[in-house]
Amino acid sequence: MSTAVVIEAPGAHRLVAHEPREPGPGEALVRVHAAGICGSDREVYQGNRPPGYVRYPLTPGHEWSGTVERVGAGVPGSLVGRRVVGEGFRNCQVCDRCHAGETTLCRAGYEETGFTQPGAMAATLTLPARLLHVLRDDCDLTAAALLEPAACVAAAALKANALPGEKVAVVGTGTLGMFAVQFLKANSPAELLVVGTRRDREALSRAYGATDFRTKDQELPDDVDVVIETAGSADAARISAGLLRRGGRLVLTGIPAPGADGLDPTDLVVRQLEVHTVFGAPPDAWAHTARAFGAGLLDPLPLVTHELPLAEFPHAIELVGSGDPKVGKVLLRP
């Protein structure tokens, strides 16, 4: 029997029978291969996600990969059988932000797979076919399940616009941080520093292309051209800004707790720092990610430490929040 996870309300979930929803015009039905769990899924389960960014009851799952099984009217039949990943934001396509390619800022309001729309912690997922990104036929779908967080980092990398020969750095050594290392390495930097709190991430950071690894309590440089922050704390944001040369470029991807002390505006102005932020991934970042993955520039598999069935959803949520350094990316397999 096909099943799906449903979070009825914070702290309450059920495993229910799943009936695929037939694709309507412009839609595709995808057989889910794997769905990843991240901190935002834990927020949904615990009830910590901000109002307006979740709608209960809900099937979670915004990180996923799968294979197209059926398509609705107006969708090319050639999609059937293709391996795919998909964008999460259900944008309107007609507002000025959507026309500018900034679909994560859609003026019609926030709608996203796995948060306000049914997600991929189920046997199948039906969604607008325009959100799909087709992968190579020989790709590893387990690895591809991590392309959603990779796409968020791709958005940061595109904003950072690191040039060959520049000094670059990543602050944070989680899933996002390790993808940031890979994207920055692809731009042929002169130096690639990773700053974290866990020394056990040094080997993986260097395997992905880092030329230096330091913990935040070590002496740090102040002449870096580009920094991508992925740790999601006010402390990490301040450390990131401190790494930069005057006129350097900073991209923040982490979301600290509300009310956190921010960057010093005087420091930003006096040193003329260029600061960008990222919330989700627009289409160009997804396309960039799919190309990089297809070209072999991204290697997500070393980040996966656990693959569990849907029935172990509560255990998966516990693992993600355990703080155990042996826990990396946790996937659920329908």
Side-chain angles (χ1 to χ4, degrees):
M1 178 184 70
S2 296
T3 57
V5 172
V6 174
I7 300 176
E8 299 285 359
H13 84 283
R14 294 186 299 137
L15 197 66
V16 304
H18 173 73
E19 187 69 30
R21 182 174 71 79
E22 287 301 310
E27 293 185 322
L29 185 151
V30 176
R31 176 67 54 179
V32 177
H33 174 81
I37 295 182
C38 80
S40 55
D41 296 303
R42 184 174 168 83
E43 289 177 352
V44 169
Y45 186 59
Q46 294 181 329
N48 298 328
R49 192 159 174 86
Y53 290 88
V54 63
R55 188 180 303 134
Y56 302 101
L58 172 71
T59 293
H62 61 287
E63 304 177 3
W64 58 270
S65 63
T67 304
V68 177
E69 280 202 347
R70 295 191 287 280
V71 296
V75 179
S78 58
L79 271 180
V80 175
R82 298 304 304 272
R83 299 183 179 196
V84 295
V85 290
E87 299 176 31
F89 285 81
R90 306 291 186 94
N91 55 297
C92 75
Q93 294 187 286
V94 296
C95 72
D96 62 334
R97 293 302 87 207
C98 286
H99 282 309
E102 297 176 334
T103 55
T104 62
L105 302 178
C106 176
R107 292 188 185 276
Y110 172 78
E111 294 287 345
E112 186 176 4
T113 298
F115 296 107
T116 64
Q117 297 289 331
M121 292 185 193
T124 68
L125 173 65
T126 302
L127 74 167
R130 61 182 172 80
L131 299 178
L132 298 178
H133 288 261
V134 177
L135 305 175
R136 289 172 47 146
D137 291 336
D138 61 351
C139 80
D140 186 323
L141 280 176
T142 300
L146 277 67
L147 293 188
E148 192 277 342
C152 293
V153 175
L158 290 171
K159 288 189 175 184
N161 191 31
L163 302 175
E166 288 192 310
K167 295 181 179 180
V168 301
V170 174
V171 175
T173 59
T175 298
L176 297 182
M178 294 300 95
F179 276 125
V181 173
Q182 295 177 71
F183 276 114
L184 289 174
K185 174 61 177 177
N187 288 338
S188 301
E191 299 176 16
L192 203 175
L193 167 68
V194 174
V195 179
T197 58
R198 292 166 44 184
R199 201 83 216 182
D200 62 298
R201 296 296 265 186
E202 179 175 2
L204 185 58
S205 297
R206 290 186 182 276
Y208 280 144
T211 59
D212 192 6
F213 183 98
R214 304 187 196 184
T215 55
K216 64 178 185 178
D217 55 347
Q218 292 182 284
E219 182 178 355
L220 298 174
D222 60 2
D223 61 347
V224 176
D225 297 296
V226 172
V227 177
I228 295 180
E229 178 277 326
T230 67
S233 70
D235 186 44
R238 287 190 291 271
I239 289 171
S240 298
L243 293 171
L244 289 166
R245 63 166 172 81
R246 294 191 69 190
R249 307 188 296 283
L250 170 61
V251 186
L252 303 173
T253 70
I255 304 177
D261 290 334
L263 300 174
D264 181 354
T266 301
D267 181 56
L268 298 181
V269 174
V270 170
R271 294 203 291 136
Q272 200 171 311
L273 300 183
E274 184 179 324
V275 181
H276 297 272
T277 60
V278 167
F279 177 67
D284 63 338
W286 274 97
H288 185 53
T289 300
R291 285 193 302 269
F293 182 59
L297 298 175
L298 299 179
D299 184 14
L301 276 182
L303 301 173
V304 178
T305 58
H306 295 75
E307 295 183 59
L308 305 171
L310 287 180
E312 294 195 38
F313 171 75
H315 178 47
I317 290 290
E318 289 178 4
L319 285 171
V320 169
S322 68
D324 186 341
K326 295 181 180 179
V327 176
K329 198 64 187 179
V330 179
L331 301 182
L332 292 179
R333 299 288 297 271

